[in-house]
Amino acid sequence: MSRICPLSRMLTLAAPVSALALLAGQGFAQTTVDTSAGVMQITPVARGFEEPWAVGFLPDGGLIVTELAGRLLRVEAGEATEITGAPEVFAQGQGGLLDVMIPRDFAQTREIWLSYAAPVAGGAATAVGKGRLSDDGTALEGFEQLYVGDGTSGGRHFGSRIVEAQDGTVFITAGDRGTGPGGMEAQDPARVEGSVIHLNRDGTPATSIDGWRPGIYSIGHRNAQGATLGPDGALWLVEHGARGGDEVNRVMMGRNYGWPVISYGVNYNGASIGEGQAQDGMEQPAHYWDPSIAPSGMMVYSGALVPEWEGDIFTGSLNTSFLSRLDPDTAAATGFAEERIEAEETGRVRDVREAPDGSIWFVSVLEGAIFRLAPAEES
């Protein structure tokens, strides 16, 4: 039975979630979509969010959801509760409360990590911090900022995703803050813009490279709004290009991924960017899109419910209406073969996650909702 949560701006929720084995709530329409792996069913989990950005799974079956304007929410047993104690955010343009990461040892630590645009001297910067979720799930206690970039004016290109590495260290993506292609900040390893940051759980640098700012793991990125680990533990990113040139990159320590010296896109005014599509000492993308899809959110699927998709990469699209499935085992002109899974619910997909039961959950900004995708017979 549907329930209404007690928020000042109402969220309409589907049936209570039990170990993430969701059954459709009464009155919540389900739709089906044909895919390469058969008919999939899309089930709404929760509706009524305002600019939702990310979702994370708690081990008890609850969800943590971020909204760009700064609200942090806990969704459990059919109700959503606002969590107090979230950091102050710079909620302008693309800035605000961004990603959420729930570490694997949450049951012991109750840590929740957040990335966000922080108000700082000079404007705003990508930041990351953590706090302890209270035992009753209503407050983020003792939140501390662990890392923050340098202040830059404007509200563009903060990134930012958080990924827990296999060894428990943490990767954070930082956007170039809109400095390229005119500026070369993303090529400067002494700066945070356009980099991947690598931290220990206490916020100290987990990577140190001679001549680079402590903690900087890779450079030359534009605006990575999706990140995940591959089956081998490697870090993968999806990042926005300008007009064309959105990229999938397998990220390695100390490498330069080219922005804004090389790109498969052009500037918004049609002018060329940098020095072409390749340069010695700069990495090539594993896949790129031209025209752009504005990719956001990223996961590599385990194959738990859909064995045909094992090892495939999923990302959302912010400028069109589909989930992108990339098959690394099948080559295409731009890198990987692609399937586009499109339905009414897939408008401006901001985040994509695999749930503990193997279903695929995605966050639609246009719908203000979270949806679950699974084989029709499993839903």
Side-chain angles (χ1 to χ4, degrees):
M1 187 168 115
S2 300
R3 302 175 67 181
I4 302 296
C5 66
L7 292 177
S8 58
R9 183 173 60 252
M10 294 296 193
L11 295 176
T12 306
L13 300 175
V17 178
S18 175
L20 295 174
L22 181 69
L23 297 176
Q26 295 179 10
F28 283 78
Q30 301 174 65
T31 61
T32 57
V33 59
D34 290 329
T35 75
S36 60
V39 178
M40 298 289 156
Q41 186 164 285
I42 299 174
T43 304
V45 179
R47 293 185 181 275
F49 297 103
E50 185 170 318
E51 197 73 25
W53 217 92
V55 61
F57 300 103
L58 293 168
D60 63 2
L63 306 174
I64 300 293
V65 181
T66 63
E67 291 182 337
L68 191 64
R71 289 204 314 170
L72 183 65
L73 303 169
R74 184 170 186 246
V75 179
E76 184 180 32
E79 295 186 354
T81 304
E82 185 168 358
I83 299 171
T84 62
E88 178 187 1
V89 303
F90 176 88
Q92 297 182 30
Q94 297 169 3
L97 184 58
L98 305 174
D99 203 15
V100 58
M101 188 275 284
I102 299 172
R104 291 186 293 271
D105 64 0
F106 174 85
Q108 291 75 47
T109 66
R110 297 192 66 81
E111 278 185 5
I112 290 181
W113 285 59
L114 300 172
S115 66
Y116 55 102
V120 297
T126 300
V128 67
K130 67 178 180 179
R132 180 187 182 277
L133 185 65
S134 62
D135 292 340
D136 64 3
T138 64
L140 196 58
E141 300 171 337
F143 186 85
E144 58 177 330
Q145 186 180 91
L146 297 174
Y147 195 94
V148 63
D150 303 316
T152 305
S153 62
R156 297 175 61 199
H157 298 186
F158 292 93
S160 166
R161 293 292 176 180
I162 315 170
V163 176
E164 184 181 13
Q166 287 183 329
D167 63 1
T169 59
V170 179
F171 293 110
I172 301 103
T173 69
D176 76 337
R177 299 291 282 109
T179 57
M184 297 293 288
E185 285 84 350
Q187 285 292 307
D188 186 348
R191 299 187 66 93
V192 173
E193 296 94 335
S195 70
V196 171
I197 303 153
H198 190 202
L199 302 179
N200 294 309
R201 288 284 289 273
D202 62 0
T204 57
T207 291
S208 294
I209 300 172
D210 287 346
W212 289 34
R213 186 168 177 157
I216 300 298
Y217 187 82
S218 61
I219 63 172
H221 304 283
R222 186 173 184 264
N223 190 28
Q225 292 199 18
T228 193
L229 296 184
D232 61 354
L235 179 67
W236 287 79
L237 305 184
V238 287
E239 50 189 283
H240 291 202
R243 283 178 54 190
D246 300 341
E247 294 183 356
V248 175
N249 283 302
R250 185 179 187 275
V251 180
M252 292 175 282
M253 185 178 70
R255 302 294 179 89
N256 182 342
Y257 289 82
W259 178 259
V261 178
I262 59 173
S263 175
Y264 281 87
V266 298
N267 208 353
Y268 295 108
N269 61 7
S272 61
I273 294 173
E275 301 176 17
Q277 298 175 346
Q279 181 85 269
D280 288 345
M282 296 183 180
E283 304 301 314
Q284 285 290 300
H287 180 90
Y288 71 89
W289 288 272
D290 186 14
S292 294
I293 69 165
S296 188
M298 189 182 198
M299 72 162 191
V300 176
Y301 186 60
S302 72
L305 290 184
V306 189
E308 299 95 319
W309 290 347
E310 181 180 358
D312 291 353
I313 296 168
F314 284 77
T315 186
S317 170
L318 291 172
N319 67 9
T320 41
S321 179
F322 60 85
L323 282 171
S324 171
R325 182 186 66 83
L326 300 174
D327 183 354
D329 295 326
T330 307
T334 56
F336 303 143
E338 181 181 30
E339 176 183 16
R340 296 184 172 186
I341 301 170
E342 186 169 2
E344 182 179 345
E345 293 84 353
T346 57
R348 277 181 60 81
V349 172
R350 174 68 75 178
D351 198 12
V352 185
R353 309 267 178 147
E354 181 175 348
D357 70 351
S359 58
I360 297 169
W361 291 39
F362 61 93
V363 175
S364 168
V365 175
L366 282 187
E367 297 292 324
I370 301 170
F371 296 96
R372 178 184 188 264
L373 176 76
E377 63 272 18
E378 298 287 345
S379 297

